[in-house]
Amino acid sequence: MEPIAKLTERVAIFVLLLGGIGMLMSMFLGVADIVGTQVLSIPVPGPREITESTMVLIVFGALAYTQVRRAHIRVELVYDRCGPRTRAAMDVATDIAAIAFYALMLWQATIEAQFSYQTGEATFGAVRFPLLPARLFLVIGVALMIIRLILDLITDLSRVRTGAPPPVTGPEITTPELRN
């Protein structure tokens, strides 16, 4: 299981970097459009359409990497007060619910990608930007998230049996006054 976990982490980092590139692209395009429209009176064609598609890249590019780090938002009011086995059981329930949610999303995203492929779907506006790349990236991002959730589910199920603490994913806080 460890080689698969390492591979998914590397792929998640690569996809995260693609999302970062998409964010930079959107940012520069937005600035160019504002400067072009407000200063030079020459608008840049198609920034809205391209930004819409890169939003999928940005959001779903970071999704699996955030799961690798186990950094998704959670309410820790009860979680922090429970023992390791109870925490692991809560994580198992969360993993199962998330897998079900993302499986439904993957199913619908696949249908949308097939539709985009068959029809040559594109955005409306000054520039007709094809939607298939964004739809495919959605499928890839969600599929990667499901794979990571399955790996985490396996880990969390073993934690329920052994009572092991949750894996540390970020830098440890070593200063005693910051630990509480």
Side-chain angles (χ1 to χ4, degrees):
M1 187 172 86
E2 188 64 30
I4 296 171
K6 290 284 186 193
L7 178 64
T8 57
E9 184 174 353
R10 287 188 181 130
V11 172
I13 290 171
F14 176 73
V15 172
L16 176 69
L17 290 173
L18 287 178
I21 292 168
M23 184 178 288
L24 285 172
M25 235 174 56
S26 293
M27 181 185 69
F28 287 129
L29 192 58
V31 169
D33 185 46
I34 291 169
V35 170
T37 304
Q38 301 299 321
V39 177
L40 305 173
S41 297
I42 306 169
V44 175
R48 194 190 97 221
E49 294 84 1
I50 294 172
T51 301
E52 285 174 351
S53 291
T54 57
M55 288 306 292
V56 175
L57 188 67
I58 294 165
V59 172
F60 290 93
L63 198 62
Y65 181 73
T66 306
Q67 183 62 31
V68 166
R69 304 284 299 180
R70 291 195 179 229
H72 285 287
I73 296 171
R74 79 166 109 209
V75 179
E76 294 185 345
L77 185 67
V78 176
Y79 187 85
D80 285 344
R81 289 175 169 63
C82 295
R85 281 198 167 98
T86 306
R87 284 183 186 187
M90 289 175 163
D91 289 339
V92 165
T94 302
D95 294 338
I96 292 170
I99 289 168
F101 173 78
Y102 286 110
L104 291 171
M105 187 181 284
L106 179 62
W107 170 44
Q108 290 301 308
T110 303
I111 291 170
E112 289 296 320
Q114 288 172 339
F115 176 79
S116 288
Y117 176 73
Q118 291 169 346
T119 63
E121 186 180 26
T123 59
F124 293 105
V127 176
R128 303 237 339 130
F129 193 74
L131 291 176
L132 182 61
R135 304 262 195 231
L136 289 175
F137 200 80
L138 175 62
V139 169
I140 291 166
V142 173
L144 187 59
M145 179 66 172
I146 291 171
I147 292 167
R148 189 61 213 194
L149 284 166
I150 291 169
L151 293 171
D152 289 346
L153 176 62
I154 293 166
T155 301
D156 294 337
L157 284 170
S158 72
R159 285 180 38 230
V160 169
R161 277 187 281 110
T162 63
V168 177
T169 56
E172 289 258 354
I173 298 174
T174 55
T175 310
E177 60 272 4
L178 295 177
R179 208 175 296 158
N180 295 330

